[in-house]
Amino acid sequence: MIKRYLLLSIAILCCTSFAFSQKRIGYEKPGDQEKRLAWWTNDRFGMFIHWGLYALPARHEWVKKYEKLTNEDYQKYFEQFNPDLYNPKEWAKAAKAAGMKYAVITTKHHEGFCMFDSKFTDYKATNTPAKRDLIKEWVEAFRAEGLKVGFYYSLLDWHHPDFTVDKHHPQQPANNSDTAYARLNQGKDMSKYREYLHNQVRELLTNYGKIDIMWLDFSYPGKNGKGHDDWGSEELMKMMHKLQPGIIVDNRLDLDDYEDGFDFVTPEQVVVSDWPTVNGKKVAWETCQTFSGSWGYHRDEDSWKSPNQLLQLLIGSVSKGGNLLLNVGPTARGLFDYRAKDALGAMGEWMQLNSRSIYGCTQAPDEFKAPPGTMLTYNPATRKLYVHVLVWPFGKLVLPGFNQKVKYVQFLHDNSEIKYLGRENQGSNDLVLTLPVKKPLVEIPVIELTLR
Ligand code: GLC
C-alpha cells in the first residue's frame, strides 16, 4: 500500500514538474492569453505603417545604417520634416476599405525619431516643422473607423547617446574588433537607455487610451548584439500588461524561453510552409509583408507585388491559421503613394465580395486536402469550407474525398450555385464541380462549400 502511494506521488510530481517545466513571467493566469487573442485571430488582416524621417531620403528605413550616417548627417531630415498633407482619416478609410481590421504604426523606428510627444526626448515630431504629435491624430482617426490600434516601437535606437554601438548600428566599426567597440562605447550607459525605453513605452501605453497591440522590434542576442537583458524585457512585459491588460504583444523581445513571453510570432517577408510551432506547439502567428522591398517609403524601388500575389499572401496565411500585416510606407508629405493606393484598392475590391473566406477562418481540418492550384480556408463556427482557385481549370474541378461531406456549393462573389457530381457509383469519393469555362471576373475566385 505504502509502495503504491509512493509510486503515485512520484508520478504526480513528475507530471506537475513537466507541466510547469516552461518558465512563466506570470502577469496573468494560464489560459487568459487565448481570450486576449480572440479578436485578432478572428480579424486576420491588418495594416502596418512605417513612417518616420526616413520618408525624406526615401531610400529605405535603414538608410542611416546602410550609408553609415552620423546624427549630424541625419539632422537635415529632422529639420525638413513637414508632412503638410497628412490626414490620418484618409489612411484609416483606405485601410478599412481594403478589408483591414487593425493597424500598427511606427511610433519610433531604429533611427530613434519619435512621432509622438515624449517627455523624455527633444528628438520628436513636435520639434520639427510638423509641430505636433502625429500619433495622437492617428490613433483617433483609426479608432473612429472602428479599427483596432497598435504601436510599433523600435528597441534599437541609433540616436540615443547611451545606446551602445553594436553590429546593427550605423557607427559599427568596420573591423568589428573588441577594442574598436570599447572605444566607441566609452561613457555610454545602456542602463540609462533601458530606462528611457521603459519610460517611453509607459508614455505610449498611458497617454493614448486603449492600445490593442504592442509591436516591439527587435532582438539580436549574442556577440555585439542585444537581447532581453539589454531591454529589460521581463519587466517591460509586466509593465505593458499592467497598463493595458488586454494588450497583445509580438515575439521580438527575446523572451522565447517563457511560455508567456509573447502572444504571436512574426515571420517576416516569408511564406511559411506550415503553421509555425514553438516547442512543438502551434502558436498564433502573423506574417508582416511589404508591397515592395522596403518598409519605409522608397521612391525608386520597383519590386511591387501584384494584387494576385498580395491576395495569395492573405489567403495563404489564413489557410495555415495565421494573419497578414501588410505594410504601407507613406511619403514625407503624409500620403500613400499611387502604387500603395492601387494595391490597397485591389485588395478591397476582392475583400468586398470574398471576406467571408478570411474573417473568422483558419486552416481546414486535416481530412480536407487542397487540390493542386487551390488553397483552403475554413470557418469552424459556420462549418463552411472555402476553395480559393488560383489556377482556373477547364470546366471542372475535382475535390478528392469531399463527396460525402458536402451539401451545397456556390461561388462566394455572387452566391451562384455550382452543380456537382458524385462519383460514388464508381467507388470514388471525389466531388466533381461543374465550373464555367470562363473564369469569373474576380482576381481569385472562391467556392464556398457548406458541409454536412
Ligand atoms: C525588421 C527591420 C525593420 C522593419 C521590421 C518589420 O526588423 O529592422 O526595418 O521595421 O523588420 O517587421
Side-chain angles (χ1 to χ4, degrees):
M1 186 70 180
I2 295 175
K3 215 166 130 197
R4 270 231 322 257
Y5 260 119
L6 208 74
L7 279 174
L8 199 70
S9 0
I10 291 171
I12 289 172
L13 244 155
C14 288
C15 288
T16 30
S17 70
F18 178 73
F20 291 108
S21 64
Q22 225 197 332
K23 295 189 287 183
R24 288 185 68 84
I25 301 170
Y27 50 81
E28 69 181 353
K29 296 194 298 298
D32 285 355
Q33 183 188 49
E34 208 175 317
K35 287 180 226 151
R36 281 188 293 110
L37 276 167
W39 70 265
W40 186 85
T41 46
N42 180 76
D43 288 356
R44 291 301 184 207
F45 188 25
M47 177 181 275
F48 216 174
I49 300 174
H50 275 67
W51 198 38
L53 296 184
Y54 44 82
L56 285 151
R59 49 182 192 272
H60 206 280
E61 76 285 354
W62 277 60
V63 62
K64 195 174 185 188
K65 161 74 176 170
Y66 292 165
E67 299 180 12
K68 303 185 172 60
L69 305 178
T70 62
N71 285 347
E72 291 67 41
D73 299 330
Y74 211 74
Q75 184 60 17
K76 61 185 174 199
Y77 305 127
F78 180 85
E79 283 158 18
Q80 285 289 329
F81 188 59
N82 187 13
D84 58 331
L85 300 176
Y86 174 48
N87 180 358
K89 288 186 191 138
E90 278 171 17
W91 295 7
K93 287 204 172 78
K96 191 175 179 180
M100 293 156 163
K101 295 279 195 184
Y102 60 97
V104 179
I105 191 168
T106 49
T107 56
K108 179 192 92 170
H109 203 261
H110 310 336
E111 63 180 5
F113 176 71
C114 296
M115 301 291 275
F116 62 107
D117 190 8
S118 168
K119 266 204 317 228
F120 301 97
T121 184
D122 293 330
Y123 199 51
K124 57 184 175 181
T126 43
N127 293 335
T128 66
K131 286 203 187 78
R132 61 198 196 281
D133 184 327
L134 301 165
I135 297 301
K136 188 166 183 290
E137 293 168 43
W138 182 87
V139 167
E140 284 160 10
F142 275 69
R143 262 197 217 119
E145 286 296 332
L147 296 158
K148 297 260 191 334
V149 293
F151 287 157
Y152 169 108
Y153 180 88
S154 172
L155 298 166
L156 290 73
D157 194 313
W158 299 332
H159 180 268
H160 196 282
D162 283 305
F163 186 89
T164 50
V165 173
D166 59 30
K167 65 177 176 187
H168 288 313
H169 197 280
Q171 273 71 57
Q172 171 198 14
N175 62 5
N176 260 324
S177 77
D178 293 350
T179 43
Y181 275 113
R183 188 165 15 87
L184 284 163
N185 287 328
Q186 230 170 40
K188 289 187 189 289
D189 181 354
M190 264 305 278
S191 73
K192 285 198 190 138
Y193 173 70
R194 189 158 50 245
E195 195 183 331
Y196 173 78
L197 147 71
H198 285 228
N199 282 336
Q200 289 205 321
V201 169
R202 187 176 307 107
E203 281 182 320
L204 287 169
L205 298 186
T206 308
N207 299 344
Y208 300 89
K210 183 168 190 295
I211 301 305
D212 302 290
I213 301 168
M214 196 68 191
W215 223 102
L216 293 151
D217 191 37
F218 64 87
S219 298
Y220 42 110
K223 194 166 162 64
N224 302 322
K226 288 188 172 65
H228 60 103
D229 288 338
D230 299 285
W231 319 130
S233 297
E234 287 89 341
E235 285 312 306
L236 205 52
M237 201 67 169
K238 280 188 205 154
M239 176 178 78
M240 293 189 290
H241 283 279
K242 190 161 173 226
L243 295 172
Q244 298 272 348
I247 203 162
I248 60 178
V249 182
D250 70 336
N251 69 330
R252 296 192 178 182
L253 279 147
D254 185 28
L255 292 173
D256 286 4
D257 288 351
Y258 292 94
E259 204 188 332
D260 56 353
F262 61 90
D263 289 313
F264 61 95
V265 302
T266 53
E268 175 178 329
Q269 304 282 48
V270 290
V271 171
V272 301
S273 47
D274 288 299
W275 189 322
T277 57
V278 174
N279 297 322
K281 238 173 60 191
K282 280 184 182 164
V283 286
W285 69 277
E286 172 188 77
T287 181
C288 47
Q289 300 274 348
T290 53
F291 285 140
S292 70
S294 169
W295 298 89
Y297 176 62
H298 197 315
R299 185 190 56 209
D300 303 332
E301 210 278 343
D302 207 24
S303 65
W304 287 65
K305 299 174 184 80
S306 69
N308 194 286
Q309 288 175 307
L310 295 171
L311 287 170
Q312 285 196 43
L313 286 175
L314 176 63
I315 300 160
S317 298
V318 180
S319 79
K320 291 170 194 132
N323 287 23
L324 172 66
L325 190 65
L326 192 54
N327 180 73
V328 183
T331 70
R333 296 198 70 183
L335 293 181
F336 290 180
D337 90 328
Y338 68 98
R339 296 165 294 188
K341 278 190 187 153
D342 287 352
L344 289 171
M347 300 294 284
E349 202 178 303
W350 187 87
M351 282 294 279
Q352 198 189 10
L353 296 175
N354 298 290
S355 63
R356 230 152 68 205
S357 74
I358 300 295
Y359 303 140
C361 290
T362 186
Q363 182 166 303
D366 283 346
E367 59 188 288
F368 299 102
K369 298 274 176 269
T374 71
M375 292 199 276
L376 304 180
T377 65
Y378 173 67
N379 186 322
T382 59
R383 290 188 37 77
K384 306 263 191 208
L385 187 71
Y386 296 97
V387 185
H388 302 78
V389 188
L390 308 178
V391 183
W392 196 250
F394 282 96
K396 64 175 191 177
L397 180 68
V398 181
L399 303 174
F402 284 39
N403 191 31
Q404 306 293 337
K405 298 170 179 164
V406 170
K407 61 178 184 205
Y408 192 77
V409 187
Q410 64 179 5
F411 275 123
L412 189 50
H413 66 276
D414 65 355
N415 277 7
S416 64
E417 182 180 13
I418 294 174
K419 293 193 150 191
Y420 58 90
L421 213 125
R423 288 220 213 120
E424 299 112 299
N425 294 345
Q426 291 148 35
S428 160
N429 275 326
D430 294 352
L431 186 76
V432 184
L433 307 182
T434 309
L435 295 179
V437 171
K438 200 170 161 187
K439 179 189 162 193
L441 266 181
V442 179
E443 188 62 55
I444 297 179
V446 187
I447 296 168
E448 182 183 64
L449 309 184
T450 303
L451 301 183
R452 279 183 197 282

